[in-house]
């Protein structure tokens, strides 16, 4: 039975990945989820699997070398899938240091502990051990509105403290592959959306606000472009890269689904109008009048767009969920999980929201 060590598995993509893996492999795999449970980590995301024999959760910080070393010592780990990170650009602009700590130092600790556990005396590695570092398209910087794509060969040019910290972590992984021949892959994915996404990110924030008749904050002119991918397609790609990809390679993940933020907003409002029953009071709330242009994000990257040619040609991965379908599924999930949203937005979230948006919109 293959054993996976997943970091950040209580977050948005990590929890979707764990659900995907159990759906795909059932009891053929074991998953150990290590997560520090920051504001972004939520064990409710994993409630349906928490009693499984082949799943365990360990609360630990990836910067805690002793804790991570102990996990490797006590378990014969075959695969590391490293999601744990500080992930929100706006927070990185307000408080960069925690991004450097978790994303750079934490990745160094994960690499070092895995190397220590897997390396043989002659400098080669135990058989079939693999580390996958989950990264982002933001490391490539920003594209012009009317041209170009991010390829695996595109030079790194990060702009925000978040993307700079992720770029640094990618470089560390590259250095381990180059220096120690460490068995790893890097994936750089575009913007994800889907169930369990924390409502600091654009899509769940818009859904949540619209249903309550709250303003929908659009940064700048609303024409920044992101390349959206349904989270389950990302989970599938990660698994395929780890099992079918060439070691030491980087793979870009994305589905040619570029949209301006303002378009996304209209799609969400239109979909809400389609899905809400006529007598549902939220139908009258979720209207275009809520759209509010606010001060732009500092250093706001204009456009991201992934060229997924390599992953398609080498591995045969392609996204399966079209945006129209994915956004319906996402909205349906938020309809069915009101309690999740209520819990996620209680307490600290209110403080965060007030600090982040009050100054912007008034
Ligand atoms: P998230 O913020 O929802 O989850 C991050 C998880 O990491 C949380 O569960 C949190 O508790 C945990 N964590 C944070 N600091 C930790 C620490 N020091 N030790 C242990 N655990 C810690 O993030 P996400 O959106 O699920 O992103 C996951 C990964 O995917 C990140 O590496 C991110 O850079 C990358 N990524 C995200 C997207 C996206 O659109 N969300 C796209 C491409 C790549
Ligand atoms: O591209 C991959 C990246 O996508 C990941 O690496 C990050 O972890 C993830 O957070 C995401 O980063 P973005 O900054 O692109 O996502 P966010 O949801 O924060 O914003 C999407 C776009 O919407 C961006 O252009 C900013 C804009 N925006 C965002 C918020 C929160 C608004 O206009 N208003 C908002 O309130």
């Amino acid at each position: 039975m293959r054993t996976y060590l997943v970091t950040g598995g209580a977050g948005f993509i990590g929890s979707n990945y764990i659900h995907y893996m159990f759906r795909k492999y059932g009891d053929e795999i074991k998953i150990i989820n290590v997560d520090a449970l920051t504001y972004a980590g939520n064990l409710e995301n994993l409630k349906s699997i928490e009693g499984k024999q082949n799943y365990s959760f360990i609360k630990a910080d990836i910067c805690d070398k002793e804790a991570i070393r102990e996990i490797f010592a006590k378990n014969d780990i075959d695969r590391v899938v490293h999601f744990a990170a500080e992930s929100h650009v706006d927070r990185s602009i307000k408080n960069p240091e925690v991004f450097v700590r978790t994303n750079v130092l934490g990745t160094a600790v994960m690499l070092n502990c895995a190397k220590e556990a897997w390396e043989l005396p002659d400098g080669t590695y135990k058989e079939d051990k693999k580390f996958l570092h989950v990264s982002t398209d933001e490391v490539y910087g920003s594209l012009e509105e009317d041209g170009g794509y991010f390829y695996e060969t595109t030079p790194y040019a990060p702009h925000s403290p978040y993307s700079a910290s992720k770029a640094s972590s990618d470089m560390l992984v590259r250095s381990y592959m180059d220096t120690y021949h460490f068995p790893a892959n890097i994936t750089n994915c575009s913007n994800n959306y889907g169930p369990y996404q924390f409502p600091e990110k654009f899509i769940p924030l818009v859904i949540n606000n619209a249903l309550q008749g709250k303003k929908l904050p659009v940064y700048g002119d609303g024409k920044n472009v992101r390349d959206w991918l349904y989270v389950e397609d990302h989970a599938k790609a990660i698994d395929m890269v780890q099992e079918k990809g060439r070691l030491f390679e980087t793979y870009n993940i994305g589905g040619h689904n570029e949209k301006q933020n303002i378009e996304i907003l209209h799609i969400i409002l239109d979909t809400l109008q389609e899905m809400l029953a006529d007598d549902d009071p939220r139908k009258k709330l979720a209207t275009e009048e809520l759209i509010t242009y606010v001060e732009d994000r500092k250093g706001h990257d204009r456009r991201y767009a992934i060229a997924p040619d390599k992953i398609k040609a080498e591995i045969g991965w392609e996204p399966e969920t079209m945006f129209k379908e994915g956004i319906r599924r996402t909205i349906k999930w938020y309809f069915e999980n009101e309690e999740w949203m209520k819990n996620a937005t209680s307490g600290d979230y209110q403080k965060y929201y007030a600090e982040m948006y009050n100054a912007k919109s008034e």
Side-chain angles (χ1 to χ4, degrees):
M1 187 192 263
R2 204 186 275 155
T3 299
Y4 286 76
L5 177 58
V6 174
T7 71
F12 163 50
I13 308 177
S15 57
N16 276 285
Y17 168 81
I18 292 175
H19 287 299
Y20 171 81
M21 292 297 278
F22 279 134
R23 276 199 302 277
K24 174 160 185 202
Y25 293 104
D27 292 338
E28 287 166 30
I29 58 166
K30 182 175 159 188
I31 295 182
I32 301 168
N33 172 16
V34 181
D35 196 299
L37 298 182
T38 67
Y39 78 93
N42 186 350
L43 288 180
E44 262 187 85
N45 301 1
L46 299 154
K47 224 172 172 44
S48 61
I49 55 148
E50 69 188 8
K52 277 177 83 67
Q53 291 251 312
N54 50 340
Y55 169 75
S56 57
F57 172 72
I58 299 172
K59 183 171 187 297
D61 185 333
I62 54 165
C63 300
D64 181 347
K65 205 189 309 184
E66 290 318 313
I68 302 299
R69 192 178 268 156
E70 193 183 320
I71 296 169
F72 276 98
K74 287 191 174 158
N75 301 278
D76 183 13
I77 306 292
D78 301 298
R79 300 279 185 273
V80 173
V81 184
H82 178 36
F83 293 97
E86 288 292 335
S87 69
H88 191 40
V89 174
D90 292 324
R91 287 185 194 255
S92 84
I93 293 165
K94 274 211 171 322
N95 183 17
E97 283 175 22
V98 64
F99 284 71
V100 177
R101 181 184 178 275
T102 293
N103 300 359
V104 186
L105 180 63
T107 300
V109 168
M110 289 308 303
L111 287 165
N112 228 25
C113 290
K115 177 174 172 287
E116 219 174 68
W118 293 346
E119 197 172 23
L120 295 167
D122 65 358
T124 62
Y125 291 87
K126 291 179 186 167
E127 215 184 315
D128 199 28
K129 304 291 188 190
K130 294 179 187 179
F131 188 108
L132 189 140
H133 177 61
V134 180
S135 192
T136 168
D137 58 359
E138 298 199 16
V139 298
Y140 298 121
S142 183
L143 293 163
E144 294 301 318
E145 236 151 59
D146 55 352
Y149 291 98
F150 296 139
Y151 290 88
E152 287 80 356
T153 49
T154 302
Y156 276 25
H159 295 128
S160 73
Y162 162 69
S163 53
S165 68
K166 290 297 289 187
S168 310
S169 66
D170 292 12
M171 292 301 174
L172 271 174
V173 181
R174 287 187 184 183
S175 78
Y176 268 63
M177 297 194 284
D178 292 346
T179 309
Y180 308 112
H181 217 57
F182 180 73
N185 288 104
I186 300 171
T187 54
N188 294 90
C189 188
S190 62
N191 283 62
N192 285 212
Y193 69 100
Y196 305 113
Q197 188 166 31
F198 191 75
E200 65 187 351
K201 307 283 164 58
F202 189 54
I203 287 184
L205 186 145
V206 166
I207 296 171
N208 185 41
N209 281 17
L211 290 172
Q212 295 176 65
K214 287 191 184 156
K215 288 178 182 172
L216 307 176
V218 184
Y219 296 169
D221 64 3
K223 292 185 178 163
N224 298 67
V225 171
R226 296 293 181 266
D227 184 358
W228 294 95
L229 182 71
Y230 192 62
V231 63
E232 200 176 298
D233 283 324
H234 186 189
K236 184 175 180 187
I238 287 171
D239 179 45
M240 287 178 79
V241 166
Q242 217 167 25
E243 299 319 316
K244 297 185 176 170
R246 287 182 293 138
L247 267 181
F248 315 115
E249 292 290 321
T250 288
Y251 293 91
N252 280 355
I253 305 173
H256 283 308
N257 183 43
E258 290 177 51
K259 299 217 180 313
Q260 291 184 341
N261 295 333
I262 192 69
E263 273 182 82
I264 294 285
L265 235 154
H266 285 293
I267 293 172
I268 292 175
L269 289 173
D270 290 349
T271 312
L272 285 171
Q273 288 300 322
E274 278 165 36
M275 291 175 76
L276 288 165
D278 286 342
D279 59 353
D280 190 320
R282 295 175 298 179
K283 193 162 183 146
K284 286 207 176 73
L285 298 177
T287 63
E288 290 181 4
E289 276 127 59
L290 300 177
I291 295 174
T292 310
Y293 286 88
V294 300
E295 184 191 325
D296 206 355
R297 175 183 278 173
K298 289 189 174 69
H300 198 175
D301 286 335
R302 192 63 175 168
R303 173 174 165 253
Y304 302 147
I306 281 279
D309 307 20
K310 180 173 170 181
I311 192 169
K312 185 175 175 195
E314 286 191 16
I315 299 178
W317 175 88
E318 274 187 285
E320 287 168 16
T321 313
M322 293 299 102
F323 192 71
K324 200 172 162 42
E325 167 61 18
I327 206 73
R328 281 188 84 87
R329 270 203 237 166
T330 304
I331 290 173
K332 184 164 180 282
W333 187 88
Y334 285 102
F335 279 168
E336 288 167 357
N337 290 276
E338 277 181 25
E339 204 53 33
W340 182 97
M341 186 59 99
K342 230 181 250 166
N343 294 339
T345 53
S346 64
D348 282 353
Y349 181 80
Q350 300 301 333
K351 197 168 155 250
Y352 162 82
Y353 198 89
E355 276 174 15
M356 199 62 83
Y357 290 94
N358 285 356
K360 274 186 190 295
S361 54
E362 303 322 329

